[in-house]
Amino acid sequence: MQYNFSDRISSLKPSAIREIFKVLLNPEVISFAGGNPAPETFPAQPMAEIAAELFEKNYKSSLQYGITEGLPSLRELTSSRLKSKYSVGGPGDDLIIVTGGQQGIDLTAKVFVNEGDAVICESPSFIGALNAFRSYGANLVPVPVDNDGMDMDALEHALKTVPNVKLIYVIPTFQNPSGVTMSLERRHKLLELADKYDVVILEDNPYIELRYSGQYVPPVKSMDERGRVVYVGSYSKIISPGMRVGFVCAPAEITAKIVVAKQVADVHTNQFFMMLVSGLLERFNLDEHIELSRKIYVEKRDAMLAAMQRSFGNKVSWHVPDGGLFIWANLPEGMDGAALCNLAKDRKVAAVPGSAFLCDQNAVSNGFRLNFSMPSLDAIDRGIKIFGECIKEYVG
C-alpha cells in the first residue's frame, strides 16, 4: 500500500554515521567513521561487581519503574560533580537524567522549537542534533567555525537578520566534527549576543573530560548568570555509550518542561543503568579512570596525526584537536569529501564525509572526519595509509 508519512519525517534523511555502521558489520573494514569510545576504556570489572550486587540485593528497585527526573542519587552526584569541577549549575538551575546526550538535545528542541522557527548551528555540526532540529521543522541557520570556534560576527548577522531564532546550538569544547575549541573571548561574546537578542543557548559538551593538550576553557554554562544556557552532557564518552545515560542542567522552569516531554518519549531513563552509574560514582575513582582513558586516546590521536603526515601529502590540511575523538581534514577547495570517502569505502576503510555535518543536506563539502578513539594503533597505521592512497588517486 501507499504510506503517507508525516511531513516532519518524510524529508528526514537517515544519519550518515548510523548508516555507515551497517558497513562496519564486515570485520575486514577499518573504521574511522563512528564516535565510539575504545572498549578498553570501559570500567567493566567494577561495573560487573556493582551489577551483581544490584541483582542480588537491590533487584526490586533496579528493575522497577523510576521517576522521570532520574534516580535521585545520580542526579545529586552528577550535579555535585559538575559544580565542583566545572562550576556548572547555579541557584536557579535543576539537573535531570536523560537517555543519552542525544535525548537532551532532542527534548530541548521539542520544548522550544515550533515549525518554521530558526536554530542557529555551527557549520559543520553534529548530525544527531541537526536531525533532531529538522524533525521539528526548524529552519537551520549555519554559522561558520574557524580555529577559535563559531564566528561571532557571522552569528550576530544571523541574529539580526533571521526571524524567530529560538536556539543557538554549540559544541564549544572539542567540537564534533571539527575538533576545535571555542576561545574564552568568544564564549563571553556568545553570552553577550544571546542576552542582546534574547535567545537560549543549547551547549552540548560530551567531550569536556577528554582533554589531551592546551589550556582548559570553562563551559559557557559556568558563566551563565541569567538562565540563558541549557547544558547537555553525557556519561557515554567516559563510562559507556551503550548504557545511554546523559544529563541536562538548565533553569528549573526549562527542566520542568523537558520532564513533561520526556514522559511522552520514554517515561524515564533505564533504571538499572542509572543505579549502576550512581554506584560507580560513589565507589569508583572516575577521575582516575578518565586519566587512563586520556593516555590511551592521546597515543591514538598522535599516531593518527603522524600517519596522516606521512600519507596525506601537502594538498590536504587538518586541524590538530586538543581533545575529543575526532580529526577534521580538508581537501582542496572544490573537491568532494563524499567522493573520497566512497573511494576509501571500496577499499574497506570508512570515514564520514563533511557533507553529513552541514545544515543543507544537499550541499557539497571538501571536508571529512576521522575518528581515532576506536581503531587499534595498527588499524590506524594501515587505514590511514590506504586513505592516503585514495587521496593521491582522487586529488592527483
Side-chain angles (χ1 to χ4, degrees):
M1 64 172 286
Q2 182 70 38
Y3 297 104
N4 294 314
F5 295 111
S6 68
D7 292 342
R8 72 174 60 89
I9 204 70
S10 59
S11 62
L12 203 62
K13 296 182 180 180
S15 163
I17 299 167
R18 295 292 116 189
E19 290 300 297
I20 286 171
F21 267 71
K22 298 173 186 176
V23 177
L24 306 184
L25 294 174
N26 182 347
E28 295 179 3
V29 172
I30 296 173
S31 174
F32 303 135
N36 298 34
E40 59 265 35
T41 67
F42 299 159
Q45 186 56 46
M47 287 169 70
E49 293 171 8
I50 293 168
E53 188 174 300
L54 286 174
F55 278 122
E56 182 182 352
K57 299 178 181 178
N58 211 354
Y59 72 91
K60 292 180 181 179
S61 296
S62 62
L63 301 180
Q64 187 56 276
Y65 283 119
I67 62 173
T68 305
E69 289 85 348
L71 185 73
S73 62
L74 181 56
R75 292 173 68 199
E76 185 177 335
L77 288 163
T78 303
S79 180
S80 175
R81 191 166 191 275
L82 284 179
K83 286 176 183 174
S84 63
K85 288 200 72 173
Y86 301 113
S87 300
V88 166
D93 288 320
D94 194 9
L95 183 140
I96 60 173
I97 304 299
V98 289
T99 306
Q102 176 69 35
Q103 188 183 55
I105 295 167
D106 177 76
L107 294 179
T108 302
K110 189 173 188 176
V111 303
F112 278 106
V113 178
N114 292 315
E115 186 95 16
D117 285 342
V119 177
I120 295 176
C121 306
E122 295 160 316
S123 182
S125 189
F126 171 47
I127 188 173
L130 297 179
N131 270 349
F133 304 142
R134 288 178 184 126
S135 73
Y136 297 108
N139 169 29
L140 300 186
V141 181
V143 171
V145 168
D146 61 24
N147 285 339
D148 286 323
M150 180 181 268
D151 183 321
M152 290 296 119
D153 290 335
L155 172 60
E156 182 157 26
H157 177 74
L159 288 167
K160 280 181 179 177
T161 58
V162 177
N164 300 323
V165 176
K166 288 294 186 69
L167 294 172
I168 303 170
Y169 172 68
V170 292
I171 312 168
T173 304
F174 317 133
Q175 199 249 13
N176 178 10
S178 70
V180 304
T181 294
M182 185 185 292
S183 67
L184 181 60
E185 180 184 359
R186 290 196 185 181
R187 293 178 192 223
H188 283 298
K189 185 66 175 178
L190 172 63
L191 272 170
E192 179 188 316
L193 291 173
D195 281 337
K196 181 178 178 180
Y197 293 95
D198 193 24
V199 179
V200 171
I201 297 167
L202 174 52
E203 180 179 14
D204 187 11
N205 223 346
Y207 309 105
I208 189 170
E209 307 263 15
L210 300 178
R211 176 176 285 280
Y212 321 125
S213 56
Q215 296 298 311
Y216 166 75
V217 187
V220 179
K221 180 64 178 171
S222 70
M223 307 173 230
D224 178 25
E225 297 177 351
R226 301 195 181 186
R228 183 68 60 189
V229 182
V230 175
Y231 184 93
V232 175
S234 174
Y235 288 108
S236 290
K237 304 302 187 289
I238 55 174
I239 296 179
S240 155
M243 293 191 302
R244 311 306 304 130
V245 177
F247 46 88
V248 175
C249 179
E253 188 177 349
I254 295 175
T255 58
K257 293 296 185 185
I258 292 175
V259 165
V260 174
K262 182 172 170 60
Q263 288 170 349
V264 176
D266 64 357
V267 183
H268 62 79
T269 299
N270 184 293
Q271 182 79 347
F272 182 86
F273 282 130
M274 283 195 291
M275 294 183 76
L276 182 52
V277 174
S278 181
L280 279 169
L281 293 175
E282 287 171 343
R283 295 157 51 180
F284 183 63
N285 190 327
L286 185 59
D287 288 332
E288 216 173 77
H289 168 72
I290 291 168
E291 187 56 39
L292 292 173
S293 299
R294 287 192 189 115
K295 289 177 181 177
I296 292 170
Y297 291 148
V298 73
E299 183 181 15
K300 291 187 174 189
R301 179 200 67 172
D302 291 349
M304 180 170 280
L305 289 168
M308 291 167 68
Q309 193 69 48
R310 290 192 301 269
S311 301
F312 280 13
N314 58 11
K315 293 184 179 179
V316 179
S317 61
W318 55 85
H319 174 76
V320 178
D322 283 328
L325 305 180
F326 308 109
I327 297 172
W328 177 268
N330 284 302
L331 298 169
E333 286 296 330
M335 306 207 81
D336 185 359
L340 173 64
C341 289
N342 284 333
L343 189 62
K345 185 173 71 172
D346 290 340
R347 299 180 190 181
K348 295 187 171 59
V349 178
V352 186
S355 55
F357 305 99
L358 301 182
C359 291
D360 181 353
Q361 296 184 89
N362 299 311
V364 175
S365 168
N366 65 325
F368 56 95
R369 191 193 75 175
L370 301 168
N371 165 259
F372 56 81
S373 58
M374 180 64 176
S376 66
L377 292 171
D378 176 65
I380 288 172
D381 188 61
R382 289 186 292 112
I384 292 296
K385 184 177 180 181
I386 294 168
F387 214 89
E389 292 167 358
C390 294
I391 288 171
K392 287 169 186 172
E393 181 178 326
Y394 179 62
V395 177

